[in-house]
Amino acid sequence: MARKRLGALVSGSGSNLQAVLDACAAGKINGEIAVVVSSKKDAYALTRAEQFGVPGFWVDKDKFPTADSYNLEILRILREYRVDLVVMAGYMRLLGEEVLEAFPQAVINLHPALLPSFPGGNAIEEALDYGVRLTGVTVHFADAAYDTGPIILQEFVPVHQYDTLDVLAARIHKVEHTLLPRAISLWADNRLRIEGRRVYIRSKQ
Ligand code: GRF
């Protein structure tokens, strides 16, 4: 099967982008990162892309009069780099319908909690403050709302009673760095099938 071309959307440090870049380089994913698009100018993820020789772009939302025109610019870049799968790797914005419709069943999001618990941008802190004993990581297909699409993989992470936010976040990030590449690999090997909200994983041929 041809190697898939991945387009990564980022907003932050890009540790998950790094995990995917490393997994592709190690042959654990039948694909490669073709382009990185950041919603933030100073995202360290862009430096990581550069270090790997991957084209990276900052799309400045202030230069676009509407959310639609901003999303169309992202779509234009993804198309220019002939992306097969869009990976939201710490992308802190809602992805527009324009992009979702152009990539049916081919946009993946990462979330640092066990969805449907703790959706939104402060999931780790909210889980800690709520007092749950278990939280985790979810990789799911994206849809037009925040953190609601069909779930591909989840893994739990224990919360210890004296955890600080930093300690818990580090434990969660470690799991993200294996779960996201695994989900991408399943997609790239054409092993995922969605029926309603349920995602079935085909066994390896
Ligand atoms: C991750 O925890 C991801 O789940 C969340 O944002 C964080 C991004 O981290 N949506 P990084 O930029 O990959 O280091």
Side-chain angles (χ1 to χ4, degrees):
M1 224 183 308
R3 274 167 76 80
K4 301 293 183 192
R5 295 175 63 79
L6 315 176
L9 303 184
V10 298
S11 302
S13 98
S15 66
N16 285 286
L17 169 69
Q18 185 74 54
V20 177
L21 286 164
D22 292 342
C24 291
K28 291 182 185 162
I29 294 173
N30 182 28
E32 62 190 346
I33 302 256
V35 67
V36 174
V37 179
S38 174
S39 63
K40 295 235 175 82
K41 184 184 184 184
D42 53 1
Y44 187 64
L46 286 173
T47 307
R48 295 182 197 266
E50 198 182 336
Q51 284 165 354
F52 246 82
V54 172
F57 298 92
W58 165 49
V59 181
D60 180 1
K61 70 171 174 26
D62 294 337
K63 285 204 179 129
F64 296 88
T66 59
D68 287 3
S69 56
Y70 171 83
N71 283 309
L72 284 173
E73 173 61 7
I74 290 179
L75 179 58
R76 189 193 63 72
I77 297 172
L78 295 171
R79 284 206 166 121
E80 183 182 334
Y81 285 86
R82 293 178 287 110
V83 162
D84 299 304
L85 176 70
V86 180
V87 179
M88 299 165 76
Y91 183 66
M92 303 310 274
R93 290 180 63 85
L94 201 58
L95 196 60
E97 303 261 1
E98 299 83 359
V99 181
L100 291 165
E101 278 164 20
F103 291 92
Q105 305 193 351
V107 182
I108 283 179
N109 185 42
L110 171 69
H111 185 73
L114 290 179
L115 292 171
S117 292
F118 309 113
N122 292 311
I124 302 176
E125 192 171 2
E126 284 171 16
L128 186 64
D129 290 347
Y130 195 93
V132 292
R133 298 294 191 197
L134 288 178
T135 183
V137 175
T138 303
V139 184
H140 64 95
F141 284 105
D143 62 15
Y146 273 116
D147 305 325
T148 55
I151 291 168
I152 301 169
L153 293 175
Q154 285 186 307
E155 196 163 310
F156 72 81
V157 173
V159 182
H160 301 319
Q161 56 184 342
Y162 297 114
D163 275 350
T164 60
L165 180 58
D166 286 351
V167 167
L168 178 58
R171 199 177 299 126
I172 286 176
H173 291 325
K174 202 167 164 211
V175 172
E176 288 184 323
H177 298 161
T178 59
L179 207 67
L180 181 61
R182 262 173 55 205
I184 295 171
S185 172
L186 289 170
W187 188 94
D189 291 343
N190 198 23
R191 290 178 57 196
L192 301 178
R193 179 171 56 83
I194 308 178
E195 256 180 53
R197 281 207 50 86
R198 297 180 70 179
V199 178
Y200 294 88
I201 301 175
R202 291 190 195 92
S203 49
K204 228 173 174 165
Q205 299 294 324

